[in-house]
Amino acid sequence: MKVTKINDWFEKFGRFEVKHRWGFIIGLLIVTIVCSLGLPRLKLDNGEEDWFDDWETTKVNQDHFESIFGSTDSLLAHIKAKDVFDPEVLQMIDELGDELLNKVPYAGSITSLMELSLPIGTEDGFEVTSPFEDGVPSDPAELAEKKAFIMSRESIVNNLVSDDCTETWLIVNLEQYSENLDQAMNKIAPPAMAIFNDPKYKSDKWEIRPAGLSYTEYEEEKAIVWQCVSRIALGFIVMLIFLIVFIRSLRGVVVPSIATLGALCTTLGASAWMNIKGNNTMILVTVLLSMALAVGYAVHYINSFKMHFRKTGQRKESIVMGIRDSGWALFFTVVTTMAGMLSFLSANIRPMRWVGGITAAAVFAVFVFEMILLPCLYSFGKDQEPDPDFVKNEGSTNSDLRVEAMGKSILNKKWITVVVGTAVILAVIPGIFKIRVNMNYADMMGERTPYIHRLMEITRSQLGSQYSYEVLVEYQEEDALKNPDVLKNMDEMAARIGTLSSTKVSNGKPRVSSVTKVVKEMNRTLNGDDPAAYVIPDDQDLVSQEMFLYEISGGSDLYDYVSEDFKAGYLHIELNGYDGEEIVRNLEDVKKWCKELFPDASNAGVVGEVVQYAQMNGKLVRGSIKSIGTSLLVILFLLILAFTSFRTGFIAMIPNVAPIVIIGGIMGYASVNLDMITAMIMPMILGIAVDDTIHFTNHIKYHFELTGNYRSAVLNSYREIGKTMIMTTVILCAMFGIFLTSTMTVLVNIGWLSIVGLGSALIADYTLTPVLLFITKPFGKETK
């Protein structure tokens, strides 16, 4: 396929466009307005269901669990003090609990040192009491007695209060939502925040650290929105500054801005009209790529137009020649970039599929905006007298000639270029095999994010934990959970889970809770408070009697862990952190133990969102590999098709594979995890990097068709578009460099990985692309 013939077609289109410029402008405006009217209908969220194709099954299991035991969400306050039994601290806990209970929607009950249900022996047997039912005693001796009693309870120590009495929990148990999490958290978190931030709860004697699913989800959403919006805004400003410096044209600055905003409004508005729901985190990729490509397309076209305008002084003719020289290359880069983003459709993760489709549409929209607005708007104006110096140099500037001189040096050292490039690739390949997949959102957000720092302080504390899951044990028969063998097996399960590497351990005690702690506490009380009696009785009638006595005595903890018909119960396991691969391995053991210890149960297995997200690690790996592999194959096919040559297509792929290999290797060496965001980096960089390869290869082929000489074709290409490639890369690196200032680790990673990828892509295109084409001579034999 002759590039000259394709360019002739684009020249004809350019003349038609300039002739009917008002029609193109008005038509684009109408389409933009119609599509943008759909923006109020746009739905963006980060719902859990979007991440799982089997969400319905997951939701059914979660709903079943919550239908038995109620909401799994709670509002937490980790309290640290010199002594949590200090009267002032206890009084604060009491007041804080009451205020949260009264003012926070869905608040059902309080669990704290001030709201305990503990069995205590009496002359008539025992009773369930709350040590501070009558408030904090003023008598130090009485307070010390109550403290000693609470600290003698094995089920309390290192669960609700640390053994050194410096940490405790205040837990607001939330009732079942009547709406989804996004709606509920907007009701729960704001009033809770107002209470926690009230000056009366600030003191040198204690520190309060709030937590809880709905509370931290609310904080996460606010942090992500602020960080993404602020960085995109700063990136946009940086883009404008560099466009002003490099282009020095009002139209050259305004059009890329309009193209970015117009393309995004048109694309997102059209998707809203079609009732397509988006993802508020993944849209960052769409915005970034749209901005990046708008800059790249504009700089390539404007520099081509300016080169002809300096040489001829004829404005409209230069407009047409700019379309002729850059139109086909720009269109082909759009096709390959769209192909790279559409490869996300092969990933079995809905947000990745959505961002792939919407970004591909936005890329095409950016191209349409640029190819209509730039030629049409630049066509308005006067001609000028050509500068004799520019006429002599074919419209090239001094910087263009310096780039050409650099190209001569690269060609003269072509084998050194090949050897050095090969050595770099071989050096980074081992790093690829060191990449770990871990979707730990605390690591993604980073401790420079204030609320993450607070959560990690809680996690590192004696009692704190950020993640947890449940093991459900369910039978068909009523009172199955009163069977001593079942309860003992639950205790055995708890002991085994306590040995797992991911289970949180507080001062030697694994953080695993179940109904057995209530039964054992009762049995100890009925046996003269003998610590040796903190066990499950062997007699089922005795177990039933103890549970009944606890219930009628006012105990409130029993039904936290068992159903009212005693068919089902569960173990609550807290984790010491989040390592997806480690959790998956641990859960395999838990599933095996469920089958071993509860063979007669109708339902026995793990429940909880952390389980699903841990299992998604493998899904993310498979999705990322399929996406990257698909994009490479599709782009290779398109390059072969466009250049009608297998050899040219494979040669053009080498400079595009190099940045991906370098990014992957550096991620492995730098211990940067592969997560839902960093998984997008490689296809995104591939989509940008292939643009320069196509421009350079297309120009070399075009000039070879004109000159019949490879060296002349390569040097002409260096002179005509070499500076443009540098300009676009510098602007893009500056835009992504803004993310280095973020407090979110994942945005920082996007920033420096993108800079590394774009920089290595430019170096590869400047060195490997021309050298390989010069050595292999894929366009045929030289004629001159």
Side-chain angles (χ1 to χ4, degrees):
M1 185 184 297
K2 293 273 187 186
V3 176
T4 49
K5 290 184 178 180
I6 300 175
N7 285 0
D8 289 342
W9 186 91
F10 273 93
E11 179 182 342
K12 292 178 182 178
F13 172 77
R15 296 190 187 281
F16 178 81
E17 183 179 7
V18 171
K19 182 179 179 180
H20 301 90
R21 56 190 177 184
W22 281 112
F24 276 92
I25 292 173
I26 293 171
L28 183 64
L29 183 62
I30 292 173
V31 172
T32 304
I33 291 173
V34 171
C35 291
S36 299
L37 290 174
L39 287 175
R41 301 163 55 95
L42 183 64
K43 295 179 180 178
L44 295 175
D45 61 39
N46 196 25
E48 304 158 322
E49 66 274 12
D50 293 334
W51 291 97
F52 307 103
D53 285 332
D54 57 348
W55 174 254
E56 290 304 321
T57 301
T58 304
K59 189 73 167 62
V60 166
N61 292 338
Q62 189 69 23
D63 287 346
H64 175 67
F65 182 87
E66 293 184 0
S67 68
I68 300 173
F69 302 106
S71 174
T72 55
D73 190 11
S74 58
L75 183 61
L76 309 170
H78 179 262
I79 299 167
K80 185 175 178 61
K82 186 175 181 180
D83 182 2
V84 295
F85 286 94
D86 182 290
E88 288 187 50
V89 178
L90 290 174
Q91 189 62 42
M92 178 275 296
I93 292 173
D94 193 32
E95 293 177 6
L96 178 61
D98 288 342
E99 191 165 359
L100 290 170
L101 189 63
N102 293 326
K103 294 184 179 180
V104 174
Y106 297 110
S109 62
I110 298 291
T111 300
S112 71
L113 289 175
M114 300 299 296
E115 301 287 344
L116 292 174
S117 295
L118 297 175
I120 184 172
T122 65
E123 293 180 357
D124 299 326
F126 79 97
E127 64 179 7
V128 177
T129 183
S130 174
F132 297 112
E133 185 176 4
D134 298 324
V136 181
S138 56
D139 182 7
E142 184 182 354
L143 178 59
E145 182 182 349
K146 292 181 181 295
K147 174 182 177 180
F149 171 67
I150 292 173
M151 296 305 295
S152 70
R153 302 299 94 181
E154 190 171 339
S155 61
I156 299 296
V157 176
N158 289 323
N159 281 317
L160 185 66
V161 60
S162 61
D163 57 11
D164 60 3
C165 300
T166 60
E167 297 179 21
T168 188
W169 282 108
L170 186 156
I171 305 170
V172 182
N173 304 298
L174 300 176
E175 297 173 346
Q176 197 75 24
Y177 306 149
S178 58
E179 54 213 335
N180 62 36
L181 177 60
D182 284 340
Q183 295 170 322
M185 72 183 188
N186 285 298
K187 293 181 179 179
I188 294 169
M193 284 182 177
I195 294 171
F196 286 127
N197 292 325
D198 193 315
K200 68 182 177 183
Y201 296 119
K202 308 293 182 181
S203 173
D204 296 336
K205 289 194 172 184
W206 63 74
E207 182 181 359
I208 302 174
R209 298 168 178 155
L213 176 63
S214 52
Y215 192 90
T216 54
E217 283 286 327
Y218 181 85
E219 290 182 300
E220 178 187 1
E221 183 172 289
K222 297 299 181 186
I224 289 176
V225 170
W226 165 246
Q227 289 290 326
C228 290
V229 170
S230 61
R231 265 60 203 175
I232 288 173
L234 288 173
F236 194 73
I237 293 171
V238 168
M239 177 186 77
L240 295 180
I241 293 173
F242 275 87
L243 282 173
I244 292 171
V245 172
F246 286 149
I247 303 298
R248 299 177 186 177
S249 163
L250 179 62
R251 282 174 281 199
V253 174
V254 171
V255 172
S257 306
I258 295 175
T260 301
L261 296 174
L264 289 172
C265 291
T266 300
T267 305
L268 294 173
S271 71
W273 281 121
M274 292 184 283
N275 294 319
I276 299 174
K277 187 180 75 170
N279 184 276
N280 56 12
T281 303
M282 292 295 126
I283 198 173
L284 175 66
V285 176
T286 305
V287 175
L288 283 176
L289 200 55
S290 297
M291 291 169 59
L293 294 178
V295 170
Y297 297 162
V299 172
H300 274 286
Y301 174 77
I302 292 171
N303 280 351
S304 180
F305 157 75
K306 283 186 172 183
M307 183 185 70
H308 287 285
F309 195 45
R310 288 191 296 264
K311 182 169 59 175
T312 66
Q314 300 176 20
R315 178 172 291 276
K316 290 186 177 180
E317 187 65 19
S318 298
I319 291 291
V320 174
M321 291 299 102
I323 295 176
R324 183 198 67 181
D325 289 352
S326 63
W328 164 239
L330 286 175
F331 175 75
F332 190 48
T333 61
V334 169
V335 173
T336 53
T337 304
M338 289 177 66
M341 297 312 300
L342 289 174
S343 67
F344 286 159
L345 298 178
S346 64
N348 199 26
I349 301 174
R350 292 177 192 173
M352 289 184 69
R353 294 203 299 262
W354 175 80
V355 78
I358 202 70
T359 305
V363 167
F364 182 75
V366 166
F367 172 73
V368 171
F369 270 83
E370 296 272 23
M371 292 308 293
I372 290 178
L373 293 180
L374 282 171
C376 290
L377 294 181
Y378 265 97
S379 66
F380 293 98
K382 298 179 180 179
D383 294 341
Q384 66 182 26
E385 288 296 322
D387 188 316
D389 291 335
F390 286 131
V391 172
K392 179 183 176 181
N393 294 329
E394 295 293 321
S396 301
T397 63
N398 290 332
S399 57
D400 292 326
L401 296 176
R402 283 194 290 270
V403 171
E404 181 184 8
M406 182 179 64
K408 289 180 183 179
S409 178
I410 291 173
L411 287 185
N412 291 337
K413 298 178 176 63
K414 54 183 178 295
W415 291 113
I416 294 177
T417 300
V418 172
V419 171
V420 171
T422 303
V424 171
I425 297 298
L426 292 176
V428 297
I429 285 177
I432 295 175
F433 300 97
K434 298 178 180 292
I435 296 178
R436 295 182 69 252
V437 181
N438 200 15
M439 289 178 55
N440 182 356
Y441 98 99
D443 287 346
M444 291 169 62
M445 298 293 286
E447 286 201 53
R448 288 197 298 164
T449 304
Y451 87 96
I452 291 295
H453 178 70
R454 187 187 72 242
L455 292 180
M456 294 311 296
E457 284 186 328
I458 295 175
T459 301
R460 289 189 287 263
S461 68
Q462 298 179 69
L463 300 182
S465 175
Q466 187 181 349
Y467 302 101
S468 64
Y469 65 92
E470 285 77 37
V471 175
L472 175 64
V473 180
E474 186 175 12
Y475 289 86
Q476 294 287 349
E477 306 83 17
E478 289 189 8
D479 295 336
L481 267 294
K482 294 179 180 179
N483 186 330
D485 292 334
V486 173
L487 293 174
K488 289 180 180 180
N489 283 340
M490 291 182 74
D491 238 17
E492 174 64 21
M493 173 67 87
R496 294 185 185 183
I497 292 175
T499 65
L500 296 176
S501 56
S502 62
T503 303
K504 172 83 173 184
V505 178
S506 295
N507 299 317
K509 178 184 288 187
R511 298 296 296 277
V512 184
S513 303
S514 72
V515 69
T516 61
K517 73 175 186 179
V518 177
V519 176
K520 290 189 290 185
E521 201 69 72
M522 285 291 298
N523 195 61
R524 172 180 172 174
T525 302
L526 289 173
N527 284 275
D529 207 26
D530 181 4
Y534 189 76
V535 295
I536 304 293
D538 293 324
D539 183 61
Q540 181 165 343
D541 290 337
L542 181 55
V543 171
S544 299
Q545 181 182 8
E546 288 177 350
M547 289 184 174
F548 176 72
L549 289 173
Y550 181 84
E551 184 180 359
I552 64 172
S553 299
S556 60
D557 295 340
L558 182 62
Y559 293 115
D560 288 346
Y561 296 101
V562 293
S563 60
E564 293 185 1
D565 55 10
F566 292 91
K567 286 183 177 181
Y570 71 93
L571 296 91
H572 178 72
I573 300 95
E574 297 178 39
L575 303 177
N576 54 23
Y578 186 99
D579 184 318
E581 295 176 351
E582 183 181 15
I583 291 173
V584 168
R585 288 193 297 268
N586 285 178
L587 291 179
E588 289 302 316
D589 289 332
V590 174
K591 293 174 184 177
K592 180 180 66 177
W593 295 335
C594 283
K595 293 179 181 179
E596 175 189 342
L597 296 173
F598 309 105
D600 299 328
S602 59
N603 185 10
V606 292
V607 180
E609 292 179 9
V610 70
V611 178
Q612 297 296 328
Y613 281 99
Q615 292 173 340
M616 187 189 283
N617 279 357
K619 194 174 183 180
L620 180 64
V621 172
R622 294 189 296 272
S624 300
I625 292 174
K626 286 174 65 177
S627 175
I628 295 170
T630 302
S631 63
L632 288 172
L633 290 175
V634 171
I635 290 174
L636 174 61
F637 172 77
L638 291 173
L639 289 171
I640 293 172
L641 184 66
F643 296 116
T644 60
S645 167
F646 280 95
R647 187 163 52 163
T648 305
F650 277 103
I651 291 171
M653 278 301 295
I654 293 174
N656 296 300
V657 173
I660 293 178
V661 174
I662 291 173
I663 290 174
I666 291 177
M667 284 179 65
Y669 286 132
S671 300
V672 177
N673 291 333
L674 183 68
D675 53 47
M676 65 184 74
I677 302 298
T678 54
M680 303 286 188
I681 294 291
M682 294 182 191
M684 186 173 71
I685 295 301
L686 177 61
I688 300 174
V690 75
D691 292 0
D692 283 341
T693 305
I694 291 170
H695 280 289
F696 214 174
T697 304
N698 188 70
H699 265 72
I700 293 173
K701 189 173 189 293
Y702 172 66
H703 281 289
F704 178 77
E705 291 174 5
L706 294 178
T707 66
N709 181 272
Y710 280 99
R711 187 178 187 86
S712 176
V714 170
L715 295 180
N716 284 339
S717 298
Y718 269 116
R719 186 180 69 249
E720 291 185 4
I721 67 167
K723 182 179 69 176
T724 300
M725 292 165 61
I726 295 176
M727 289 168 60
T728 55
T729 302
V730 169
I731 294 174
L732 293 175
C733 288
M735 288 168 55
F736 283 106
I738 291 296
F739 290 92
L740 298 178
T741 65
S742 174
T743 60
M744 288 172 54
T745 300
V746 69
L747 293 186
V748 173
N749 288 339
I750 286 178
W752 73 266
L753 286 174
S754 297
I755 292 172
V756 168
L758 292 168
S760 59
L762 176 66
I763 293 171
D765 280 323
Y766 248 76
T767 56
L768 293 178
T769 298
V771 164
L772 291 174
L773 291 174
F774 183 73
I775 292 174
T776 60
K777 296 178 171 50
F779 306 134
K781 294 182 179 180
E782 291 182 317
T783 59
K784 296 182 183 179

